[in-house]
Amino acid sequence: MKKKKRNSSVGSDDIDPYSDPDIYYGPKTNPTLATKDSKIGRTRTLSTVEQAFNKNFLRDEFQTSLTRRASYDDNSQQNRRFFISDIDATLKELLESEDSDKNYQITIEDTGPKVLKLGTLNSNGYNQADIRGTYMLSNLLQELTIAKRFGRDQMILDEARLNETPVKRLRRLIVTQFWNSLTRRLDDTNIGVMAKDTKIHSEDAKYPRIYIPYTEKEQYDYFCNVRDLNPQLHLDVQYLPKEITPEWVQSVNTRPGLLALAMDKQIDKITGESYLTAFPYVVPGGRFNELYGWDSYMILLGLLVDNRIDLGRGIVEHFIFEIKHYGKILNANRSYYLCRTQPPFLTDAAIKIFEAMGGKSNEVAYDLLQRAFKAAIKEYKTVWLSEPRYDPKSGLSCYHAMGKGIPPETEATHFTTLLTPYAQKYGVSFEEFQKLYNDGKIHEPKLDEYFIHDRSVRESGHDTSYRLEGRSANLATIDLNSLLYKYEKDISFIIKNFFNDEFVSYDGTMEKSAYWDAKAIKRKEAVDKYCWNEHEGMYFDYDIKLEKQSSYETVTTLWPMWSQMASKHQAELLVKKALPKFEELGGLVAGTESSRGIVNLQRPSRQWDYPYGWAPHQMLAWVGLENYGYKNVAKRICYRWLYLITKAFVDYNGIVVEKYDVTKGTDPHKVDAEYGNQGADFKGVATEGFGWVNASFILGLTYCDNLAIRNLDSVTPPHDFFQQLKPEERKEYGL
């Protein structure tokens, strides 16, 4: 498969303060020793884009008539640097003056004067200059916070870090800081922290615990050694049973543990002894501190743009390990997820990593490809082509998670409305009812069915949505069947082109490409029969129990374009009829407002419904549109999404969060559905962002030309940007 060339106008020659703060802030002992020509505290030549940004954007919206004055001893505003002799005092002054809501962030909602004076470096701090506007002041807060965390009392600060263009700054933070902050290795260095579970609050969940597959004695010995050498961790190391049943999983819900992941065996060149090392991977962030299924694939798309092949390979290695030992790619690697998978993306992930590692000429890459496709075939046959997830009548597949009892990882109040009437029915407290039901002492068939669907919603990755609520296990979703079509086509392609059309499967079966081509044709025919609606020009989920199409309009109707299952005619209708239903100010919305229906106290908002938009929906749509020759439309949708991310980043102290309200231009990150938003809980400076949003920003920039980036830097609303385009430029955005 050919790699697609991307055009990105954002450079990568960035300085990472976390790797060398002396270069970034000057020497720790005496930062004033930094000279203008030295590497330490050096100034940065601004690009044309950044100079335009400085001239046109860096004024607070409430003070548009004010212009920044040059320092008294420096005629060049571009090269101005500041000497901060007391970081604590400056930080205190900044927060007292500007952080009016006392949340340790400086945003457009704060009502301070939006100006602070800093002493210039050339005058040793004696002469002062104004720092104005929310963006520059919030960047100042971030820089002071970083320096303070390094134990700095004093620092020099290049103004280029305060008025750095938003696109440049956010990209730099993702590349040099966010990926690193989200990277994990499941080994002796962090097992104590990783294995602790913040979602479960039982007595047995207080201490870290790891479960090891019963065949992995080397890993078991490794972690027992870690336990013995670090008694202060109180690490509990347990083998998993040979047969993992829903009953066993439920039995350990009060004593949950992290599940082991892939490790690599290395040989010490001196002693000749073997030892294990952990493959690195990236977590989503916030409360999600595990290896998640489809999050990891989306994150991988951004990692590959940044050439972080090591992290991408780790993700694929862990997917292979999970299928081998746990039977599926897990929702996440915690014990209570053992009966639950997630949207399947292994084949595409493996192909991309294989190509990035050098392809067939690299023996390690070739071996990885072979192992990945053996695992994918096993997953396909044992998970997606087996009941209850496979519907033999339609030939389509459904999400259908197994499990018993109440999912333990949800928020404490998540099922209050559902379970309170049952508690009242039996005359017991809410807590007592949960225990009686989980212990099997109370039988409620309707509740059992509810939790089958609830777990299946979580398995789908779209937790939660009125599209799926109370019926998820009965729906052959268009998104899942698009992904499985991609599996079938990918497996055929790899067998034919890299294994001479003879591939020995996990169970010894000789696989041929023709078999997988036939599977793909059969699935497409079933999807066309049961999911395609010619009149509406879009795909719908199919209810295998009611034997009819769902009427819920979901943006995953575009996924057949990503998997290339749609015909040219179907793609044309999707762009003409379906896409306008989902295109909003800030990108694609998860579903239409009419499909969602009313929301009120009895029927609250669900986060995968209108008006919310999510990174995976955007990224798969961009690729899908490009697959069918609509890259111009992809550029338009992409600009909308990146605008929303940039807008929140500029106005709200560098925030990057899990999801956005794509209908709002003022504070799109404020999402109060269900557990709120991940990535917003920080003081002073964000250090992680959120995994798949970081990836969407990095990938999205490859769809942007210089014109788009300039307008993102100026935070130009999509309507204004598109309106000012020349006729020939409008075609570039499908207008």
Side-chain angles (χ1 to χ4, degrees):
M1 287 185 171
K2 291 184 178 179
K3 294 181 183 178
K4 294 178 181 178
K5 293 184 178 180
R6 297 293 191 193
N7 170 43
S8 178
S9 302
V10 183
S12 57
D13 57 337
D14 302 305
I15 302 171
D16 177 10
Y18 290 83
S19 65
D20 199 335
D22 281 355
I23 291 178
Y24 200 78
Y25 296 124
K28 184 173 183 178
T29 54
N30 188 356
T32 59
L33 290 177
T35 64
K36 189 172 182 178
D37 296 326
S38 70
K39 253 191 155 185
I40 296 175
R42 70 183 182 185
T43 55
R44 181 172 58 83
T45 302
L46 301 184
S47 68
T48 303
V49 172
E50 290 167 318
Q51 291 179 40
F53 169 82
N54 295 344
K55 185 182 296 182
N56 299 325
F57 175 76
L58 291 173
R59 307 185 193 101
D60 186 82
E61 62 181 298
F62 300 115
Q63 302 185 35
T64 54
S65 62
L66 296 174
T67 56
R68 291 186 290 110
R69 292 174 292 174
S71 64
Y72 302 125
D73 58 329
D74 190 347
N75 292 325
S76 173
Q77 289 193 33
Q78 282 183 209
N79 299 325
R80 189 162 56 182
R81 291 183 294 168
F82 303 106
F83 172 52
I84 299 174
S85 60
D86 189 334
I87 289 176
D88 282 337
T90 305
L91 194 55
K92 181 180 179 182
E93 179 187 2
L94 176 63
L95 289 170
E96 288 180 349
S97 172
E98 300 294 344
D99 182 24
S100 60
D101 56 10
K102 307 302 179 186
N103 67 347
Y104 294 92
Q105 297 177 18
I106 296 174
T107 74
I108 59 171
E109 294 179 1
D110 288 306
T111 56
K114 303 294 185 183
V115 61
L116 188 81
K117 293 184 180 296
L118 291 181
T120 61
L121 176 62
N122 288 352
S123 69
N124 202 29
Y126 180 77
N127 293 329
Q128 294 187 319
D130 290 345
I131 304 300
R132 293 185 178 275
T134 299
Y135 180 65
M136 289 186 71
L137 289 168
S138 70
N139 286 347
L140 175 60
L141 174 60
Q142 295 170 51
E143 301 295 339
L144 292 170
T145 303
I146 293 170
K148 183 175 172 62
R149 290 177 184 175
F150 278 112
R152 294 300 181 94
D153 299 316
Q154 300 179 330
M155 64 186 287
I156 59 171
L157 182 60
D158 192 329
E159 190 179 27
R161 288 304 182 199
L162 302 183
N163 58 25
E164 185 176 20
T165 57
V167 170
K168 173 81 171 179
R169 185 175 182 87
L170 179 51
R171 191 196 187 286
R172 177 175 62 82
L173 289 173
I174 293 171
V175 172
T176 66
Q177 175 58 25
F178 290 1
W179 290 143
N180 294 336
S181 295
L182 292 170
T183 295
R184 304 287 185 270
R185 287 179 183 268
L186 193 49
D187 58 17
D188 60 320
T189 61
N190 64 3
I191 182 61
V193 175
M194 288 292 296
K196 286 183 178 177
D197 198 330
T198 60
K199 302 184 192 72
I200 309 297
H201 304 289
S202 65
E203 190 67 25
D204 281 339
K206 289 183 179 179
Y207 298 108
R209 181 177 292 105
I210 184 166
Y211 287 105
I212 312 293
Y214 77 99
T215 57
E216 290 294 302
K217 185 178 185 304
E218 283 186 284
Q219 280 210 36
Y220 182 81
D221 292 343
Y222 174 92
F223 285 107
C224 283
N225 187 53
V226 172
R227 175 198 62 197
D228 296 341
L229 292 175
N230 302 274
Q232 75 282 2
L233 293 179
H234 302 286
L235 179 64
D236 183 18
V237 184
Q238 298 282 339
Y239 270 125
L240 286 168
K242 182 176 181 179
E243 184 178 359
I244 300 171
T245 64
E247 289 76 15
W248 183 87
V249 173
Q250 185 190 32
S251 74
V252 297
N253 277 347
T254 57
R255 49 190 177 94
L258 199 64
L259 299 172
L261 294 173
M263 299 186 81
D264 192 22
K265 184 181 290 187
Q266 302 283 339
I267 303 296
D268 190 304
K269 294 181 179 178
I270 298 175
T271 66
E273 295 181 352
S274 65
Y275 62 95
L276 296 178
T277 61
F279 288 105
Y281 60 99
V282 176
V283 299
R287 71 196 291 263
F288 306 113
N289 196 33
E290 302 91 7
L291 177 85
Y292 277 80
W294 75 318
D295 290 71
S296 295
Y297 171 78
M298 300 300 162
I299 289 168
L300 179 144
L301 299 180
L303 293 173
L304 288 177
V305 175
D306 286 338
N307 203 35
R308 296 301 303 270
I309 301 171
D310 59 327
L311 297 176
R313 179 193 172 184
I315 288 169
V316 174
E317 292 282 4
H318 296 316
F319 282 176
I320 296 169
F321 184 92
E322 287 187 335
I323 292 171
K324 178 180 179 180
H325 294 290
Y326 310 132
K328 59 185 75 70
I329 294 174
L330 299 175
N331 186 163
N333 65 315
R334 293 276 183 193
S335 56
Y336 41 76
Y337 292 132
L338 277 164
C339 296
R340 197 186 310 166
T341 185
Q342 279 221 308
F345 283 96
L346 175 55
T347 59
D348 194 63
I351 290 171
K352 283 180 164 55
I353 289 297
F354 171 71
E355 292 175 341
M357 291 175 65
K360 196 170 183 178
S361 61
N362 182 339
E363 291 183 6
V364 175
Y366 189 65
D367 174 69
L368 178 66
L369 184 74
Q370 187 175 39
R371 290 186 290 112
F373 273 78
K374 283 188 177 183
I377 291 171
K378 178 182 178 181
E379 178 197 18
Y380 178 91
K381 291 184 177 180
T382 62
V383 176
W384 303 115
L385 220 63
S386 297
E387 295 186 58
R389 291 184 179 90
Y390 179 68
D391 175 44
K393 187 171 183 180
S394 67
L396 300 173
S397 300
C398 306
Y399 292 108
H400 195 119
M402 309 300 287
K404 294 181 70 67
I406 302 167
E409 81 282 1
T410 55
E411 303 76 35
T413 60
H414 186 81
F415 296 115
T416 300
T417 303
L418 171 72
L419 298 179
T420 296
Y422 287 97
Q424 293 171 347
K425 172 183 175 181
Y426 288 95
V428 297
S429 69
F430 179 78
E431 292 74 17
E432 287 175 309
F433 175 78
Q434 291 185 89
K435 188 174 189 314
L436 290 168
Y437 176 72
N438 283 334
D439 291 345
K441 295 178 180 178
I442 285 179
H443 298 281
E444 286 288 345
K446 287 188 177 180
L447 208 51
D448 295 342
E449 183 179 4
Y450 175 89
F451 283 118
I452 289 174
H453 292 303
D454 180 81
R455 283 187 170 85
S456 300
V457 172
R458 300 173 196 283
E459 186 169 87
S460 77
H462 292 80
D463 47 324
T464 60
S465 164
Y466 288 116
R467 166 195 173 202
L468 305 170
E469 192 167 294
R471 63 190 305 204
S472 182
N474 297 335
L475 288 181
T477 65
I478 185 56
D479 28 304
L480 174 58
N481 286 280
S482 296
L483 299 182
L484 293 176
Y485 176 85
K486 183 73 159 62
Y487 260 43
E488 291 154 353
K489 295 299 292 184
D490 284 348
I491 293 170
S492 170
F493 174 84
I494 291 299
I495 290 174
K496 183 184 298 181
N497 291 279
F498 292 94
F499 295 97
N500 297 318
D501 215 11
E502 292 185 348
F503 186 83
V504 180
S505 187
Y506 70 99
D507 59 359
T509 302
M510 181 63 72
E511 305 287 350
K512 298 282 190 177
S513 61
Y515 169 84
W516 291 95
D517 284 335
K519 298 293 288 184
I521 292 171
K522 185 177 179 181
R523 187 173 301 275
K524 175 173 169 49
E525 289 173 348
V527 167
D528 286 347
K529 178 178 179 180
Y530 296 110
C531 301
W532 175 250
N533 188 311
E534 180 74 13
H535 176 72
E536 296 293 336
M538 60 191 296
Y539 295 92
F540 291 88
D541 302 329
Y542 178 73
D543 192 313
I544 62 172
K545 189 173 183 179
L546 299 178
E547 297 189 347
K548 69 175 186 178
Q549 282 185 1
S550 167
S551 61
Y552 189 103
E553 296 169 327
T554 168
V555 74
T556 60
T557 190
L558 301 176
W559 285 27
M561 294 179 70
W562 177 82
S563 67
Q564 300 187 59
M565 179 170 61
S567 67
K568 183 178 179 181
H569 168 71
Q570 288 168 327
E572 288 175 352
L573 287 181
L574 284 167
V575 173
K576 180 181 179 181
K577 291 189 172 184
L579 187 68
K581 294 175 182 286
F582 305 101
E583 185 173 353
E584 297 284 348
L585 163 72
L588 299 175
V589 71
T592 61
E593 185 175 16
S594 59
S595 289
R596 179 206 64 187
I598 61 169
V599 292
N600 51 39
L601 290 176
Q602 289 71 43
R603 196 174 185 271
S605 293
R606 297 290 188 240
Q607 62 178 4
W608 285 89
D609 288 333
Y610 181 92
Y612 307 120
W614 293 76
H617 289 165
Q618 319 300 320
M619 290 191 281
L620 295 191
W622 303 338
V623 176
L625 288 164
E626 187 176 6
N627 282 341
Y628 288 82
Y630 297 101
K631 187 174 182 180
N632 54 349
V633 179
K635 284 177 64 177
R636 184 179 77 235
I637 303 298
C638 181
Y639 183 87
R640 291 184 179 280
W641 178 249
L642 266 58
Y643 162 78
L644 217 62
I645 297 172
T646 307
K647 172 71 171 171
F649 178 79
V650 166
D651 289 347
Y652 286 88
N653 210 108
I655 200 169
V656 179
V657 290
E658 177 190 24
K659 53 187 174 283
Y660 295 85
D661 182 336
V662 294
T663 68
K664 291 170 63 177
T666 303
D667 50 4
H669 67 291
K670 290 192 173 181
V671 176
D672 56 7
E674 298 174 282
Y675 57 75
N677 221 335
Q678 299 299 298
D681 186 18
F682 62 88
K683 291 185 177 181
V685 59
T687 58
E688 293 183 345
F690 194 84
W692 60 22
V693 175
N694 298 342
S696 72
F697 191 81
I698 294 297
L699 179 64
L701 288 177
T702 68
Y703 284 86
C704 292
D705 53 25
N706 289 331
L707 180 62
I709 290 176
R710 285 199 299 271
N711 279 273
L712 287 173
D713 276 329
S714 297
V715 198
T716 305
H719 177 268
D720 294 344
F721 172 48
F722 299 146
Q723 195 171 45
Q724 72 187 17
L725 292 174
K726 299 174 183 176
E728 61 272 18
E729 293 171 335
R730 290 177 62 82
K731 293 179 181 178
E732 288 292 311
Y733 290 86
L735 297 168

